[in-house]
Amino acid sequence: TQLLEQSPQFLSIQEGENLTVYCNSSSVFSSLQWYRQEPGEGPVLLVTVVTGGEVKKLKRLTFQFGDARKDSSLHITAAQPGDTGLYLCAGAESGYSTLTFGKGTMLLVSP
Amino acid sequence: DTAVSQTPKYLVTQMGNDKSIKCEQNLGHDTMYWYKQDSKKFLKIMFSYNNKELIINETVPNRFSPKSPDKAHLNLHINSLELGDSAVYFCASSQTDTIYFGEGSWLTVV
């Protein structure tokens, strides 16, 4: 079973600050996804990365997949209160249809 | 239109009771799941069905019994509820690697 470690577990920042959260594993993944879960809701997919070294941008969010496809990072520029939520990374190993989720990073952005 | 819908959203029940959570998806996906999210927000798969057939059954007590009458529905029945069953249960569906989650069912066992 692959394990995904996310750090930090909790992050509290002021509006306008930048931040990076990390997702690390000793396993290689065929694809890695980032989800955001808002309070009282289910996780919603933000992005899927499949190629080592790949960088994807979604407005103020930048996602990077490590060259060896074992890790990923999510960078948020000029965070806003609407970015508050639980950020989950999830990896899929080829041959498996199930995603393995990390334990998440809880982000709180204060006005 | 809700893609993955589950009911009830909130459920408070006493230890020892039997309860069910229903799930329906209108995305035409072949695969459906039940996930459990504990108090520390850790999301862990419980079951996965593909075209009504069970394909993944993680280490879950046999008090939990999923039922899939058709590929658009996956219900979860729980017998003899215990305090430790309190959690948020998410139904989900997928066709490829992307998983679409329902809004969750908050189960509290008292």
Side-chain angles (χ1 to χ4, degrees), chain A residues 53-89:
Chain A
E54 182 177 4
V55 176
K56 280 192 174 179
K57 292 193 174 184
L58 184 66
K59 297 184 180 178
R60 295 175 293 99
L61 278 61
T62 302
F63 304 85
Q64 185 162 9
F65 201 12
D67 291 340
R69 305 206 316 274
K70 293 183 178 182
D71 55 85
S72 180
S73 63
L74 159 60
H75 182 78
I76 302 179
T77 304
Q80 298 177 0
D83 296 327
T84 292
L86 179 69
Y87 289 81
L88 296 158
C89 68

Side-chain angles (χ1 to χ4, degrees), chain A residues 9-69:
Chain A
Q9 291 185 4
F10 185 77
L11 190 56
S12 180
I13 61 173
Q14 295 295 120
E15 183 175 3
E17 292 185 35
N18 301 331
L19 67 115
T20 302
V21 299
Y22 300 92
C23 176
N24 296 294
S25 176
S26 58
S27 300
V28 176
F29 293 97
S30 63
S31 67
L32 196 139
Q33 300 178 342
W34 285 92
Y35 290 78
R36 179 169 66 211
Q37 184 179 7
E38 298 184 10
E41 304 291 334
V44 175
L45 179 67
L46 295 174
V47 77
T48 301
V49 286
V50 297
T51 305
E54 182 177 4
V55 176
K56 280 192 174 179
K57 292 193 174 184
L58 184 66
K59 297 184 180 178
R60 295 175 293 99
L61 278 61
T62 302
F63 304 85
Q64 185 162 9
F65 201 12
D67 291 340
R69 305 206 316 274

Side-chain angles (χ1 to χ4, degrees), chain A residues 31 33 35 37 40 42 45 98, chain B residues 9 37 56 90 97-99 102:
Chain A
S31 67
Q33 300 178 342
Y35 290 78
Q37 184 179 7
L45 179 67
T98 305
Chain B
K9 180 150 187 173
Q37 189 171 45
I56 291 175
F90 285 99
D97 280 349
T98 304
I99 296 183

Side-chain angles (χ1 to χ4, degrees), chain B residues 9-70:
Chain B
K9 180 150 187 173
Y10 301 101
L11 183 57
V12 180
T13 188
Q14 290 185 327
M15 285 175 56
N17 284 350
D18 303 338
K19 291 294 178 185
S20 293
I21 307 172
K22 296 184 177 181
C23 179
E24 176 182 5
Q25 55 98 0
N26 62 6
L27 298 167
H29 290 165
D30 289 334
T31 305
M32 294 187 72
Y33 311 83
W34 277 106
Y35 281 84
K36 179 180 180 180
Q37 189 171 45
D38 60 25
S39 59
K40 296 184 179 180
K41 304 296 185 185
F42 185 40
L43 197 62
K44 190 171 181 182
I45 191 167
M46 299 173 67
F47 302 101
S48 175
Y49 271 70
N50 185 272
N51 274 317
K52 304 191 299 177
E53 298 296 323
L54 178 67
I55 57 173
I56 291 175
N57 182 350
E58 292 294 316
T59 310
V60 176
N62 57 15
R63 298 181 294 103
F64 290 78
S65 53
K67 284 188 172 56
S68 184
D70 55 62

